[in-house]
Structures are given as structure tokens and as C-alpha cells.
Amino acid sequence: PAPTIVFKTMRFMQRIFSFNTRLQNTKSKIWADIKTSLVVTRQKRSFLIRPPKFIPLFFRFHCTAFLEMLKGKVEEEHVFVPPRHVHGMTELKRDAFTKSINVPALKVKKEIINRLMKPLKQIALQRPGLKRVMEDPEDENKRLILLDPCQISSADSFDDSIKIVLGQFGVDLQVYTHNLELTYENFKTEEILRAVLPEGQDVTSSFSRVGHIAHMNLREHQLPYRYLVGQVIIDKNPGVTSVVNKTNIIDNAYRNFQMELLAGEDNMITKVKENGFTYEFDFSKVYWNPRLGTEHNRIVALLKAEDIVFDVFAGVGPFAIPAAKKNCAVLANDLNPESCKWLVHNCKLNKVDRRVKTFSLDGRDFILGPLKDELNKISTDVGNSSVHIIMNLPALAIDFLDAFKNLLDKASNNNLPTVHCYGFSKDDNPAKDIKEKAESVLGVSLEGHCCVHQVRNVAPNKEMMCISFQLPAEVLYKEHSQFQVSVIPEENEPKPKRIRTDPSVQE
């Protein structure tokens, strides 16, 4: 971009003056003149750059030559900008993106093309859908290798290593000009969207891939162009056949959200693969986040064969199924009946249905019912197995921790369950914030008995965290209640959440 080039130019000139002691006294004045004189004016997609006036003749000569080269560089970088008349387009018209440009080229004998392409890979033209080797209309025994105009403008643009290679193959260093027609297929997604959307506005070309579905989170100023954006995403991403945009935040008990189909087929039943496992589900009715694969793998790596796993908010099974495949006994629950249906389906699909018991209950009811019953059964005969309780509902999971208070009557062994509980934090110290929130709900201190892991950044000033700890005996067992010696006093409530500074980003 032009501002970057100007900055680099000023740094370049700064280095020149630092080597000349005679100019040190006037350096500040010269430097100020450079700042005011390096004016970049945009006029019909070309740039006018003039050298500083207050520069000694010797330096002015070199500065002029350098800025002439810089001007060519800036103009070349705008070769691959779509035509200006596509600005503001809301209905995609692919033919409108056609334009002709001139690119540098080398003439090479056709029999050495294959051996020459690898050394020239870094400077060869690389555009979507464009061939880098063209027939020479003037000589059928030669071919034209198209070069990147942002790097090559003349024979002087080649570095010494390239010149040596070309010399070894007997290639003439003369750079020819080849007229090339660019079409819609030759532009990148971001180039198209940046040309169409209002100038100065953010361009969103990123999305979450969920099988054949591209899930976007467009900002308000992009909504008038949403159908065009959806079609461009399909065109430029093989395998994507549906593009949807989230129209509200995740604010219901089932953790799904409303979405609008922007382009492609209205088919939300999709298949994804994560960490070697296959999951199928209706994306419009269940929760799935493709950015949590690493976290799923991290937790499963903590498990060993014969462990007992309780997945309180199981979704379609990204924790439960890998755990069962690791020969753990799993009890998986989700309030959403649609999630529970696909959980059962995915257990069969991954051949672990015999090791997973599924439930469709509220998380608290699951803890007070099946989880409690199972803990009572295994409390006397757990052997070397460990018990893990996974609570992946970041917006609310910590509030469910109080369900473990006095859950069991009395302690029969020292094998306390390990809880992995997720939460969001907007605090400056999210690890401390999550720990204090968990302590506040449990009513005991976890200092020195827990670890907090940062999962991912959800939005500006919003982190997803996971706190892992063994349930304290004084919390889990009734007979320990009278010996609670580390109760959190009321004045040590967690600090209030910090206000999010970017209201356009929502989870």
C-alpha cells in the first residue's frame, strides 16, 4: 500500500543522511522537508510522487532516481485492481471485471521451460486461473514466461542469482511486454470485495468452514452487498456450496443461532472431520465451532483407558466420541434434542455407541440425576480410573458448579472427580477472573489446586478460558460441609466485567 511505501522511502532517506557527517547539522531541516514533500496523490489510480526540494544536488539526483522507481512500483501494485466501474455493485456481474494489462515477460526456448520454471518461481506471475507460460506469437520455437510486474520492470530488476541462472541457460535478459486480459476468475476474493465495497470500510473475506457450508459474520455496512459476497465466496472456494450469515448472537438454551442463506443450496445437513473423527449434523439446529478442534484434542489427551467421562453439555459429541474411542466410559448429555439426536448418530457413525450413554436433560438435572447416580456407583470401586467432568458451555457453565455442593453423602475414597469448566472473561487478567468466579460459586478457594488454560480469543477484550480442578471434598460431600475452612468471603467477589470496546463483534 502507498502509505507503507512512503514510510519505507523516508526510512531509506534517513539512512542516507546518517552516513554524511557534513549534513548532520541540517539533517532535521532536510528530514522535515522530506516528510512534507513526499506527497502521494491518488489520481485515477495512478500516483504522483515528487522529490524534496531542499536536498543537495548529489542526493537529489539519487533521490529522484529512487522515487521514479518507487512510482513504478506503486503503479504496478495497482495493476491487479478490478476496474473502477464495479464499485458499489450489489448484484454480481462477472463480465464487468474484465480488463487488459501489460505484464513483463521473458522469451525462452520451449525445450528449457520446465528446467527454468523452478528458479523463476518467486518472480513468475502468480494469479488465480492464469497460465505463466504463453506461446510466443513471433516465434513458435519459443515461449513467454510471464513475470510479476510488482517485482520486475526491466533487466535491472533481476537479482544476481537470477541473472546467473538465466545466463547458464543462455536466456536473453531483455524484458518484453505482453498484453494480458484479466477476467473475474483471475482476481482474488479480497481484491473483488475491496473494489466493490465502500472505500475505507473493512472487507470481510474470512469465514468458518463447516463441511460444505461457509459461515460468515458480516458487519452492518457490508449487509447491502451480502448476496454478492456470498456468491464470490462460493466462486472462489471449491467445495463450498452454501454460504450463510449469522443474524443474531447465541442467546438461547440450545446454543444455535439464526442464519440467512446468502448464496448456494439451502442444505444445512453437513459432514465435518476433526482429529480423525467424522461428525454429521444440521448446522442450523445445533452448535458447532470449527475453531475448537485443538481444545477438544487437548482435553482428550488428558484421558486414559477406563477413565469415566461425564460430558454435561456434549453437543454432537466432539469430546464424548474421541473419549469413547480411547476406551473411556462416557455419559454424554445435551438439552437440545436435535443435538442429542445427532450425538447418537455420530456415536454409531464412529462405532463407539456401546461405550456412550446419551441423555437429553438440562445440565443441572443431569448433574443431580445420572451423574450423581453414577458417582455413587463407582465411589467404592473405581480402581485406577479417573473421573472427568467436562462442562463446555462458556456463557453459563460456571453457574452450574453449585450443583456439586453436597452432591454425595459421604466420602468413600480419595479419587475426586476432575472438572474441566469453560467460561468467558473480559477482565484484564482473564485467568484470575475465571478462577475467582469459580471460587465464588463453589464457596471455597482453589488457590494452588487448579490450572487455567486460555482456549482462544473470541472477540476484542473477550477470552474463552478453561479452568481444571479436582472437586474439593468439602464441596462434593455432605459430611465435609461443617469443615469448610477456606470459604470465600463476600467482599472477594470477582471484579466487574470490562465493557467490550468493539460492539460489532459478537459471539
Side-chain angles (χ1 to χ4, degrees), residues 207-217 244 246 248 250 252-259 268-297 300 311 313-322 334 336 338-340 342-347 349-350 392-394 424 456 458 464 506-507:
F207 56 87
S208 297
R209 180 78 178 263
V210 184
H212 68 277
I213 303 169
H215 165 221
M216 306 195 74
N217 190 10
V244 298
K246 182 167 69 174
N248 71 338
I250 300 173
N252 60 58
Y254 291 166
R255 289 196 296 170
N256 53 9
F257 48 80
Q258 295 179 1
M259 60 182 72
M268 296 297 106
I269 297 179
T270 188
K271 178 190 290 188
V272 300
K273 288 191 175 183
E274 181 186 89
N275 300 326
F277 297 93
T278 302
Y279 303 90
E280 294 179 349
F281 49 84
D282 186 335
F283 185 56
S284 65
K285 296 180 179 179
V286 305
Y287 176 79
W288 178 266
N289 192 329
R291 297 184 177 92
L292 294 178
T294 301
E295 179 62 14
H296 297 152
N297 198 48
V300 173
D311 195 349
F313 312 105
V316 298
F319 284 114
I321 290 172
D334 201 279
N336 184 353
E338 194 71 19
S339 293
C340 193
W342 288 105
L343 171 61
V344 172
H345 172 80
N346 290 324
C347 287
L349 185 64
N350 290 277
N392 183 22
L393 184 64
F424 292 131
R456 71 185 190 98
V458 176
M464 179 178 176
Q506 295 176 321
E507 175 65 7

Side-chain angles (χ1 to χ4, degrees), residues 220-237:
E220 187 175 352
H221 72 271
Q222 298 162 341
L223 294 180
Y225 308 90
R226 61 189 183 277
Y227 301 121
L228 180 146
V229 171
Q231 192 57 59
V232 172
I233 295 298
I234 285 183
D235 290 344
K236 299 296 181 179
N237 295 275

Side-chain angles (χ1 to χ4, degrees), residues 124-194:
L125 181 65
Q126 299 184 39
R127 299 297 301 174
L130 272 184
K131 295 181 179 179
R132 291 178 287 182
V133 179
M134 311 286 288
E135 291 187 1
D136 184 356
E138 299 176 357
D139 189 344
E140 62 180 13
N141 294 319
K142 291 187 176 182
R143 296 289 185 267
L144 294 176
I145 299 179
L146 305 185
L147 306 176
D148 184 357
C150 296
Q151 299 187 61
I152 305 299
S153 59
S154 66
D156 295 333
S157 303
F158 297 117
D159 61 33
D160 292 339
S161 61
I162 296 296
K163 289 180 180 179
I164 291 173
V165 171
L166 295 177
Q168 291 173 345
F169 284 95
V171 177
D172 187 358
L173 291 180
Q174 181 178 352
V175 175
Y176 296 84
T177 299
H178 179 75
N179 185 264
L180 189 65
E181 183 180 79
L182 295 179
T183 65
Y184 170 81
E185 286 72 23
N186 307 135
F187 291 106
K188 301 175 183 178
T189 302
E190 188 169 342
E191 292 169 342
I192 293 173
L193 298 184
R194 192 172 296 281

Side-chain angles (χ1 to χ4, degrees), residues 299-306 321-328 355:
I299 294 296
V300 173
L302 301 176
L303 309 176
K304 61 182 185 296
E306 305 304 328
I321 290 172
K325 202 71 172 182
K326 209 167 181 179
N327 212 28
C328 296
R355 300 198 63 83

